[in-house]
Amino acid sequence: MTTRTELLKLLRSSRGEFLSGQKIGETLGVSRNSVWKAVAQLKKEGYPIEGKSNAGYRLTAASDPLTPGDVESVLRVPCDIQVHDVVTSTNDIARSMPLSHRPAAIIANQQSAGRGRLGRSFESPGDTGLYMTIALKPAFALNKALFVTMACAVAACRAIERVCGVSPSIKWVNDIFLEQKKICGILTEAQSNLETGEIDSLIIGTGINCFPSSFSPEISHIAGCISDTPGAFSRGELAGELINQTADVLEDIESRSFFSEYRARCFILGQRILVHAHYDSRSTLALARDIDEDGGLIVEYLEGPRAGILETLHTGEISIAPAQ
């Protein structure tokens, strides 16, 4: 890691206390001049670092600007990176780009027109979330596309766990939850070539609620965040680790090695759920039994004319049934 990256980690871990230049230098194994240069670099990037004679340096506020440096500090796979303050949608930008087998990552502090599954809007307030799209032309065949959404849910859980120190779970198909609140949504889009059986473009949009924010009444009851402490972790490092983990699961998608982890993290199994059909405003009570080898959710209906019948869902919406 660079001196700049290690210094930022050290200042974050000190929780606002001053650290002397000498102590920083001894801890990082660098000269005081190197410390001064790293401090100047961080200030230029927007980090509010206070310097005080005979005291040293500290981060003066809970601040987490998104910078390419933070992303690259943990990145271990080749990737072209863009970091923006405000965009309409990172997926929109990705769709306008020429893609190759080398992934591109479009990362934003805020989205003005973020989108979720089934055409819904995705609230994307600034400074509190991470909104990013990983786009590429994948090396696997069209018949493996069914597993991309599940694999990316596992990748998101792994990245959050590694960077933030919490253990999220999955609500089928790809919503990420923490302490019964949704903290992450994933929207995957693909264009395929039916003649060759290949995928021409794969666009994976991920929105993560990192720190507390205000949400509309429609979602405030279910929307959560990873940490109640703003700046508790680096959103840039989380973005970099998400790129790493996504690259890992996509490279190994043929073997479906992620599948057992997906099933283990899927917290709805064994739970009473409501199945919402797209063609009907009503919902049906069911029991989530298992996930089949193709990623379908096996449910047993508990009411109505289909009570006792098993069905495997490959599309649709579900929610946790209210307690009896």
Side-chain angles (χ1 to χ4, degrees):
M1 290 187 184
T2 64
T3 300
R4 171 247 180 237
T5 300
E6 296 210 11
L7 173 59
L8 183 57
K9 287 182 178 291
L10 190 61
L11 291 174
R12 281 188 174 125
S13 66
S14 70
R15 300 183 182 277
E17 296 180 2
F18 282 102
L19 297 176
S20 70
Q22 180 177 346
K23 182 176 181 180
I24 293 172
E26 291 173 351
T27 302
L28 302 184
V30 299
S31 67
R32 293 189 65 173
N33 187 53
S34 294
V35 172
W36 181 85
K37 288 182 178 179
V39 168
Q41 182 181 354
L42 288 171
K43 285 184 176 180
K44 187 176 180 180
E45 292 174 7
Y47 290 93
I49 297 177
E50 178 184 1
K52 188 174 182 181
S53 299
N54 302 319
Y57 305 100
R58 71 174 180 178
L59 281 172
T60 59
S63 177
D64 180 41
L66 271 170
T67 70
D70 279 343
V71 180
E72 293 164 357
S73 70
V74 299
L75 199 61
R76 51 177 171 77
V77 297
C79 185
D80 298 320
I81 297 170
Q82 299 180 22
V83 179
H84 303 270
D85 183 23
V86 182
V87 299
T88 53
S89 162
T90 56
N91 274 24
D92 287 347
I93 294 176
R95 281 198 302 274
S96 68
M97 296 169 55
L99 301 180
S100 69
H101 293 305
R102 178 187 173 97
I106 301 93
I107 303 166
N109 175 57
Q110 183 177 354
Q111 294 183 127
S112 60
R115 292 182 298 109
R117 294 181 64 235
L118 304 176
R120 300 189 184 106
S121 64
F122 187 91
E123 295 185 26
S124 314
D127 302 321
T128 62
L130 171 64
Y131 316 105
M132 65 179 290
T133 294
I134 299 171
L136 72 158
K137 183 174 181 177
F140 49 83
L142 182 60
N143 62 353
K144 298 297 186 296
L146 290 171
F147 304 111
V148 169
T149 297
M150 299 172 65
C152 290
V154 170
C157 287
R158 290 176 180 174
I160 292 169
E161 199 162 74
R162 176 166 293 194
V163 174
C164 311
V166 297
S167 298
S169 54
I170 300 169
K171 180 174 83 69
W172 185 86
V173 178
N174 61 351
D175 287 338
I176 311 301
F177 274 62
L178 182 67
E179 296 178 355
Q180 300 180 324
K181 295 282 188 176
K182 181 179 175 180
I183 60 168
C184 172
I186 302 171
L187 175 64
T188 56
E189 302 176 276
Q191 289 185 338
S192 59
N193 187 322
L194 296 179
E195 290 185 1
T196 63
E198 295 180 347
I199 302 174
D200 287 336
S201 67
L202 178 61
I203 294 173
I204 306 159
T206 305
I208 305 176
N209 302 333
C210 297
F211 309 120
S213 186
S214 297
F215 293 102
S216 65
E218 291 79 13
I219 66 168
S220 59
H221 67 289
I222 192 64
C225 61
I226 295 175
S227 174
D228 290 332
T229 304
F233 56 87
S234 163
R235 290 180 296 159
E237 290 181 13
L238 179 57
E241 189 58 33
L242 181 56
I243 296 169
N244 292 337
Q245 297 296 338
T246 301
D248 285 349
V249 295
L250 292 183
E251 183 178 0
D252 206 26
I253 203 164
E254 300 275 355
S255 72
R256 291 192 289 176
S257 60
F258 65 88
F259 196 81
S260 60
E261 182 177 349
Y262 180 92
R263 184 182 272 124
R265 288 187 184 269
C266 193
F267 70 92
I268 65 164
L269 297 183
Q271 301 289 321
R272 286 157 42 94
I273 62 172
L274 295 175
V275 178
H276 309 281
H278 298 323
Y279 54 81
D280 196 333
S281 60
R282 294 172 296 178
S283 58
T284 306
L285 185 66
L287 181 68
R289 287 288 191 185
D290 201 357
I291 296 170
D292 73 6
E293 294 303 310
D294 290 326
L297 180 65
I298 303 172
V299 302
E300 178 186 351
Y301 290 103
L302 300 177
E303 64 180 6
R306 305 183 70 188
I309 294 175
L310 294 177
E311 182 180 10
T312 301
L313 306 177
H314 291 284
T315 60
E317 288 288 294
I318 64 165
S319 61
I320 301 299
Q324 292 178 302

